[in-house]
Structures are given as C-alpha cells and as structure tokens.
C-alpha cells in the first residue's frame, strides 16, 4: 500500500491539504503531514517522523510532495537516513495539484509509480 | 587532522556563528527569512552540548554525529545541506583518531559534491558554494603543489571573506532568494558568509601544525 507524505514549511498548510484530499479522493488514502507549527520550517527529523507515522499505518511505499525548495532537501536527506525496506519517491510537482493527482491515482488502485507520474504530470496541466 | 582538532573546528564554528548571529540574520532578512544565524546557532549549540558526552570519538563517528544533529535541529536548506554533506564526509573519514591532510581534502570534496548535487547549484548562483567551491579548488591546488596544509587553509581563510562578499554582486539562482530575481543583487548571501566562518575555524583549528 502506498501513502502520501505532505511536507510543508507550515503544518497547517499540509493539514489543510490533507483535509482537501480526503474530500476529493473517494476511497481513503494513507496520508501523513509534516511541517512547522510554532516555528515555520521543516527539517529531516520531522520528515522521518512522518515516514514512521505512515509505516505504522501499514504503508510499504511513500510518495513525498513538498512545498518550496528546502522542504524537498529535507525530504531527500530523510530518505538517505531512513532504514527499512519501504520504497520512497519525491515528486517534482506543485504541492496542491500534485497531491490531488497522486491521491486520485492511489484511490483508483494505483501504486507508487502511478502516483508519482500523476503528480509530476500535474505540473503540465493548465488551470485556464 | 586529529579528532581533537576536528572537535575544536566545530566548537570554533559554534562560537563564530553565535558571535555573528545577528549579522547572519540581517543578511538573511534581506533575501530570505531572517533566521540563518538563529537556525545554525541552534544546531551548533546542540553539537557543542553533545560533544561533552562523546568522549574520544573517531573522526568518522564524530562527523556522523554532527551530521545527524544538524539534520534534526537546523531547519530549512542549511540543515539538510550541511547535514547530508557531512554524512558524505563521514563516509571517507577513517575509523581512527587521526587522518592525513589528503583525507581531509577528500572529505571536504565529498561535502561540496553533496551540497552541489542536493542544491542543484553551481558557482555564481549566490549560495554557500560560492565560498566552498573556490576554497576546495585552492585546497586541492595548494596540496598538489606541495604547500603545507596549514599555509593553504590560512590563505583560504583570508580569501573566504572576500568570496562571500563577492556574492553581493550576484543574482540568486537557488533557494528562496531566487524568487527575488534582480532584487537579490546587492546583498551578501548568508550561507556564503557562514561558510567563510567555517573556513576561518578550519584554519584556526588545523592550521597551526605542519
């Protein structure tokens, strides 16, 4: 089972996005959110705790989506540090659109690679 | 380099960053989120606090501990770049209390490679690499010429402040400052400045011998 890890400088931003995804995705998709609370920002240890949270939900593959620059650095560092047999990928995608596309792919029965492609393709979809 | 010199390098860096915290924050306020000094200081304070508990650690182990501490306490790009860079350095440092100078250069080379790869930055992008790349180049060239390590790193430490100051003329290509476009010109990159402090500490800690 594949889960989504939403990484933002702001935990509230990630939580709000997760709320939106639960509404849009139909069948439930495992999700965890990571971000700054009293202080904005994200570090690798926070990303690792999000990974643990997802693994505890029985996930064996994780797609990471992040907001700007350094959230992805932290995610990459966390992937290097993470032990275990689960697979992880980081999508180069806009956070909101990419997460929606990935959640739809997963709720439709897709796996990690499907969610990854869907998220990355989201950056090419024009809004108007 | 001995493990004590290595430890004194990081204690020196902690003091330098603490002394320059407000300046680093002010540099970051101009093109970022005004927390570079505070962020780095938080991580380095933790490194210094843990250092007391290490006792005698081998070079590879102490480098790895510092990396993990910075990864978990310094947020943002700096924590991830310094932390994962140091993890790469730890992989070439020996499981011993001493290493030769070529190994120090190799460890710094790994660090710089990791920062460049993770940050996808090159020279002139107005980042910490604008100090670390010329510094690494000078270090390798100096050692290849047969100059003593201490002499080479002292010269680099003297030049590093200028390399950092020169980032003021550059337009940021990476990180949040890049969103400012041409408005990033005229401000020194805070990551370049803190990198210059690190090289001064290397010269102070390991530049005395040989």
């Amino acid at each position: 089972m594949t889960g989504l890890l939403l990484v933002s400088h702001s935990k509230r931003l990630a939580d709000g996005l997760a709320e939106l995804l639960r509404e849009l995705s139909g069948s439930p998709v495992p999700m965890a959110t990571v971000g700054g609370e009293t202080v904005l920002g994200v570090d690798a240890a926070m990303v690792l705790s999000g990974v643990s949270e997802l693994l505890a939900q029985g996930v064996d593959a994780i797609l990471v989506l992040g907001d700007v620059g350094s959230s992805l650095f932290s995610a990459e560092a966390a992937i290097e540090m993470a032990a275990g047999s689960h697979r992880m990928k980081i999508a180069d995608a806009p956070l909101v659109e990419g997460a929606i596309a990935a959640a739809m792919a997963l709720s439709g029965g897709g796996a990690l690679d499907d969610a990854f492609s869907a998220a990355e393709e989201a950056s090419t979809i024009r809004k108007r | 380099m001995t493990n004590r010199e290595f430890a004194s390098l990081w204690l020196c860096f902690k003091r330098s960053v603490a002394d320059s915290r407000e300046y680093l924050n002010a540099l970051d306020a101009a093109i970022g989120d005004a927390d570079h000094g505070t962020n780095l200081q938080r991580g380095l304070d933790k490194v210094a606090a843990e250092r007391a508990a290490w006792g005698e650690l081998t070079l590879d182990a102490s480098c790895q501990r510092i990396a993990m501490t910075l990864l978990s306490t310094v947020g943002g790009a700096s924590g991830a770049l310094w932390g994962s860079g140091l993890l790469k350095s730890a992989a070439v440092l020996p499981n011993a209390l001493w290493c030769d100078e070529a190994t120090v250069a190799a460890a710094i080379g790994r660090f710089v490679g990791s920062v460049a790869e993770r940050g996808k930055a090159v020279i002139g992008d107005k980042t910490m690499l604008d100090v670390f790349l010329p510094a690494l180049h000078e270090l390798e060239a100096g050692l290849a010429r047969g100059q003593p390590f201490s002499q080479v790193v002292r010269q680099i430490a003297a030049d590093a402040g200028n390399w950092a100051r020169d980032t003021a003329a550059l337009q940021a290509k990476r990180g949040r400052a890049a969103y400012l476009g041409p408005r990033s010109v005229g401000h020194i990159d805070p990551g370049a400045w803190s990198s210059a402090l690190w090289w001064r500490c290397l010269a102070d800690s390991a530049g005395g011998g040989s």
Side-chain angles (χ1 to χ4, degrees):
Chain A
M1 186 167 56
T2 301
L4 292 181
L5 181 55
L6 308 175
V7 182
S8 168
H9 283 64
S10 159
K11 175 91 157 90
R12 287 170 63 198
L13 194 157
D15 286 342
L17 177 58
E19 189 184 1
L20 179 65
L21 297 181
R22 278 191 287 272
E23 183 76 26
L24 292 177
S25 65
S27 65
V29 171
M31 277 185 264
T33 58
V34 169
E37 292 179 87
T38 49
V39 179
L40 296 183
V42 56
D43 63 44
M46 291 161 70
V47 178
L48 273 182
S49 73
V51 170
S52 308
E53 203 183 306
L54 279 172
L55 296 179
Q57 295 178 40
V59 155
D60 60 6
I62 297 172
L63 181 67
V64 184
L65 289 122
D67 57 5
V68 287
S70 65
S71 66
L72 297 180
F73 292 174
S74 299
E76 286 171 356
I79 288 180
E80 275 176 16
M81 292 156 74
S85 58
H86 59 281
R87 293 179 65 211
M88 276 178 83
K89 277 187 154 184
I90 301 177
D92 179 7
L95 178 57
V96 175
E97 288 83 349
I100 293 172
M104 306 279 267
L106 293 177
S107 70
L112 175 63
D113 293 331
D114 307 306
F116 175 80
S117 314
E120 296 229 327
E121 279 162 24
S123 48
T124 65
I125 298 170
R126 297 191 55 117
K127 292 189 193 178
R128 50 178 295 173
Chain B
M1 176 182 266
T2 65
N3 65 330
R4 297 205 172 165
E5 287 169 336
F6 186 72
S8 91
L9 157 65
W10 288 95
L11 294 176
C12 167
F13 190 40
K14 166 211 144 57
R15 285 190 302 272
S16 299
V17 167
D19 292 344
S20 305
R21 185 188 65 197
E22 292 311 320
Y23 183 60
L24 290 167
N25 285 343
L27 292 179
D28 197 21
I31 57 171
D33 52 0
D35 64 359
H36 184 62
T38 305
N39 258 342
L40 262 188
Q41 191 192 1
R42 182 173 54 240
L44 293 167
D45 280 351
K46 187 94 184 289
V47 167
E50 288 173 352
R51 155 87 187 114
W54 292 352
E56 289 277 294
L57 272 192
T58 56
L59 285 168
D60 57 347
S62 50
C63 188
Q64 184 156 15
R65 295 262 185 115
I66 292 168
M68 299 304 277
T69 302
L70 295 181
L71 277 170
S72 57
T73 52
V74 182
S78 310
L81 292 171
W82 276 96
S84 50
L86 289 169
L87 279 182
K88 294 281 193 265
S89 296
V92 293
L93 289 172
N95 177 25
L97 301 176
W98 176 87
C99 74
D100 63 16
E101 289 145 354
T103 306
V104 176
I108 296 171
R110 285 290 188 95
F111 176 86
V112 171
S114 163
V115 170
E117 187 189 354
R118 174 130 308 153
K120 299 184 176 59
V122 295
I123 191 103
D125 283 353
K126 199 180 182 96
T127 71
M128 61 192 287
L129 286 177
D130 289 315
V131 167
F132 264 96
L133 276 170
L136 175 64
H137 178 77
E138 288 302 311
L139 179 62
E140 289 172 344
L143 295 180
R145 282 193 299 268
Q147 279 179 269
F149 183 84
S150 57
Q151 186 189 337
V152 179
V153 291
R154 278 201 298 269
Q155 182 59 48
I156 293 171
D159 291 337
N162 292 329
W163 294 328
R165 264 180 226 105
D166 288 346
T167 63
L170 301 170
Q171 180 173 330
K173 297 284 164 49
R174 310 303 310 174
R176 175 157 34 171
Y179 291 115
L180 291 173
R183 283 179 292 142
S184 63
V185 176
H187 305 284
I188 294 171
D189 179 63
W193 192 262
S194 53
S195 299
L197 298 179
W198 186 88
W199 280 92
R200 273 184 222 150
C201 284
L202 179 65
D204 286 352
S205 311
S210 57

